[in-house]
Amino acid sequence: MSKLNTNYQKLQAGYLFPEIGRRVKAYANSNPDKQIIRLGIGDTVRELAPSVISAIHKEAETLANQKTYTGYGDSEGTLELRQSIQDYYKQLGVEIELSELFVSDGAKSDCANIQNLFEKPVVALQDPAYPVYVDSNVIAGNTYEAVESGQYNGLIYLKSSLDSDFLPELPTQKVDLIYLCFPNNPTGAVATREYLQTWVNYALENQAVIIYDAAYSWFIKDQDIPKSIYEIPGSKECAIEIQSFSKFAGFTGVRLGWTVVPFDLKTSDSKEKQLNQMWTRRQNTFFNGASNLAQAAGVAALSEQGRKENQMVIDFYMENAKLFKDCIQGLGLKVLGGHNAPYVWLETPIIEGKKLTSWEFFDYLLNQIQVVSTPGSGFGPGGEGWIRLSSFGLRENVLEGISRLNSLKESIS
Ligand SMILES: *Cc1c(COP(=O)(O)O)cnc(C)c1O
């Protein structure tokens, strides 16, 4: 008799983006004459870089000829791409072996699946956080039921707030797995070397493992902010890094990422290189490798020319972020992020003596100026009272959004 995986029933209804979609659709249906501007979406909008496009064309030609056609490749990724990734780390002063690298079809699936290496871990994560860290652990049975606040029993939420620049404090109890994301989605917070070292020290002392989501490292401008956790001494013994081509090269639709599982990574009971071998086994069993077209594109994206072209697009997005920040500061609202990260994180205003919740401000912006944002509380209770704006937009949209936001100056404080 088959039975359901009842962990699915623990999941909280109304995943963030469907709920946003529902409210926007309802508004559009009853206000068909109004033009809606989306400033909340975490998806890239600019075209792929020329060198990436030509690599995809070239790979397509290779596949078009029976003599040069290739089918399945190594599930860990092509040698050429792994060498390009290895070079990326070399430029950061980090030595990574090719067998420590696992090319993926994007960061999200690895963020969700990586917990599979650990036995019933006690999981800690930032609050607010990218929803996949929570939901994947709920489905895997690493939590109990959710309580009224929306938090799951058994998960350790690392509270962060304006007072700590949205950098979470170390847990007060022992945890086994810690998800960290810097530069952060949604808050735009970045981790300094000293701050990350405190996490690595904690993990080493407690034999915990850090899952480090570095998808936004490409947006870091300040020279002294680390782009990889492996820039921190001791991290190879306690950290897995997950990376993505989505945000820096516009691969949200192409699909490509990678994960580093170092040989030195340890749990309290692991043998030498065992976690690396387990992830190799896992990938060979569950995954047949990323698309060869995407991998050829990835090599081009990491080439010197590709990096130059992608940097121009990143600079374009970061100019959007600056425009948002200036506007919001002008409105007198607290704003974080948008400097080393594409997300701008702003506090909800007080209107008629009442501080709005995230969803109230979302509705206010939609109804008053037809602007779509992302409510901070959708990333966890710790995001309540904040909303996220995204700099992934075309300039005309951003400017139109800004002029509408400026029109609120008299009404919000
Ligand atoms: C967008 C994003 C990713 C990238 O996911 P892909 O599956 O590579 O597209 C990973 N982590 C965070 C926090 C993100 O916002």
Side-chain angles (χ1 to χ4, degrees), residues 106-108 130 133 181 185 213 215-216 244 246-247 255-256:
K108 192 178 196 174
Y130 186 51
Y133 316 140
C181 173
N185 176 11
D213 183 342
Y216 296 98
S244 172
S246 283
K247 310 300 162 41
R255 309 305 305 141
L256 197 67

Side-chain angles (χ1 to χ4, degrees), residues 18 106 221 232 246 254 312 322 344 355 366 374 411:
K221 275 196 207 123
I232 308 301
S246 283
V254 175
M312 282 163 54
K322 186 171 181 320
V344 174
K355 183 173 153 62
L366 181 60
T374 311
S411 340

Side-chain angles (χ1 to χ4, degrees), residues 202-224:
Y202 172 91
L204 292 173
E205 278 159 27
N206 294 282
Q207 295 184 298
V209 171
I210 297 169
I211 312 296
Y212 195 72
D213 183 342
Y216 296 98
S217 67
W218 314 87
F219 293 81
I220 293 174
K221 275 196 207 123
D222 295 348
Q223 290 296 322
D224 47 344

